[in-house]
Amino acid sequence: MIKISDLKTDQRLESLTLMPDYYLQEIFTRDISNETTAKILAPFSDQSREIILSNLNKIRREKISSLLNAYATEGLALSLTEVEQACETLLDRVEDLVKSGFIRQSQTDNFDASFFDMSAEMINFSDSLPIFDFNQNDLHDLISWWNLAAKNNKSLFGKKPEVQNLILERLDDVFSSSIFKLSIDDGSDAQVLEESKKLHTQILADYKKRTDLIETFLLSLSSNQKSTELSSKLARFFPDSETIQERLTKHAPLLLYPSVTDRLPPEDIAMSLFKLKLIVEEKGHAEMEKFTQKVDDQFLRKGLSLIFAKIDYDYLRKILSERKKAYALELEIKLKMITDAVICIRNNVSPYLLLELMSSYTAYDFQE
């Protein structure tokens, strides 16, 4: 085994850092894994390493830097043969890119440097891309957001790592951020799809439980059911129902501000709903309305409007049942759309094809 300090730098490798950023970004795509990239960079000078790392997105950069630190401190063993094999892989890739015509030996002096400067476009993209949370965006907004992300990922020449970092930074829900983070790493499409499937199943299950809890609460309000009976019904949605019911009756009265959002676990949602029921029993619907005016859960918000309109119990039950199905279907469509968008961006698919694909899930044609 050898130490990093003993490795001799290959001048052919060091000279790669003289290439433009867009060449380096194409050379060090996910086709060269994080582990292989770390082995390639092991003999590089600190300055040359930084040039390469600056052309990677933050996910890959952090993982490769961690591997380099492990090699440097001998936390991970590294042999000269491994380094040589990794570097041969790199040189083979460069040769393939030269043969394919992507990398060309041209007289760049013929071009004004500003020709390749996309800084203004990057600033415009940053200003145009809002925070994204699929729970707060309708289908039209979702398509617009991912279309904008895909177009800039495709068109901002030499800015791909910055574009990917910005997209990740603006993703504000667990599903989107998790699968996009995985998509810009060195894993396969299959891994991204597997993670998407796993999260998809969990999100739908959580959503079903949340809407079941809300439906139970709304029907309780409509039928003037006692709070003790509601606590029992809410608790039945959990495996440890007796413990949950005890927590509801003991801790809900102490809750200062009941809240129902998609970010809360089902147990906390049940606690807030039970607190709202206690408020109704003690001070009436008007007092409860003070706490629910800004609620962001669409199913609860629209359900409460029916309660305040004093809709007949049987009609209310039917309306809630149908709305639950419709909202669950919309949620499933959103998750599929996001997965498709992430895979398309990952594989540099044309934004026009992405737009057509996402529009196919809706009843209308989306146009820019």
Side-chain angles (χ1 to χ4, degrees), residues 212-255:
D212 284 346
L213 290 168
I214 293 171
E215 180 184 38
T216 300
F217 164 71
L218 293 170
L219 293 176
S220 172
L221 290 181
S222 177
S223 63
N224 293 315
Q225 197 175 72
K226 296 294 183 183
S227 59
T228 51
E229 189 173 349
L230 175 61
S231 67
S232 175
K233 287 186 175 182
L234 292 175
R236 289 174 196 163
F237 289 103
F238 303 92
D240 50 345
S241 58
E242 291 185 7
T243 303
I244 293 295
Q245 185 171 3
E246 184 180 347
R247 283 183 59 199
L248 291 176
T249 54
K250 183 177 180 180
H251 299 297
L254 305 176
L255 191 62

Side-chain angles (χ1 to χ4, degrees), residues 115-174:
F115 180 80
F116 297 102
D117 187 1
M118 293 285 176
S119 299
E121 289 82 353
M122 187 67 208
I123 292 172
N124 183 59
F125 175 46
S126 179
D127 292 342
S128 304
L129 193 71
I131 297 296
F132 178 83
D133 182 340
F134 75 79
N135 296 290
Q136 309 301 325
N137 293 93
D138 62 21
L139 293 177
H140 186 279
D141 290 340
L142 187 152
I143 293 174
S144 296
W145 197 96
W146 285 100
N147 180 52
L148 178 63
K151 284 199 315 183
N152 283 275
N153 183 71
K154 185 86 171 176
S155 65
L156 289 185
F157 198 53
K159 294 287 184 181
K160 191 176 289 290
E162 292 179 53
V163 171
Q164 292 175 343
N165 291 343
L166 181 64
I167 293 172
L168 183 59
E169 177 187 311
R170 301 293 166 85
L171 292 174
D172 200 36
D173 66 84
V174 173

Side-chain angles (χ1 to χ4, degrees), residues 296-315:
D296 62 0
D297 187 286
Q298 187 176 212
F299 184 59
L300 176 58
R301 186 174 66 251
K302 293 191 175 182
L304 285 171
S305 68
L306 295 175
I307 294 293
F308 296 142
K310 299 181 180 179
I311 297 293
D312 177 78
Y313 179 86
D314 289 332
Y315 282 119

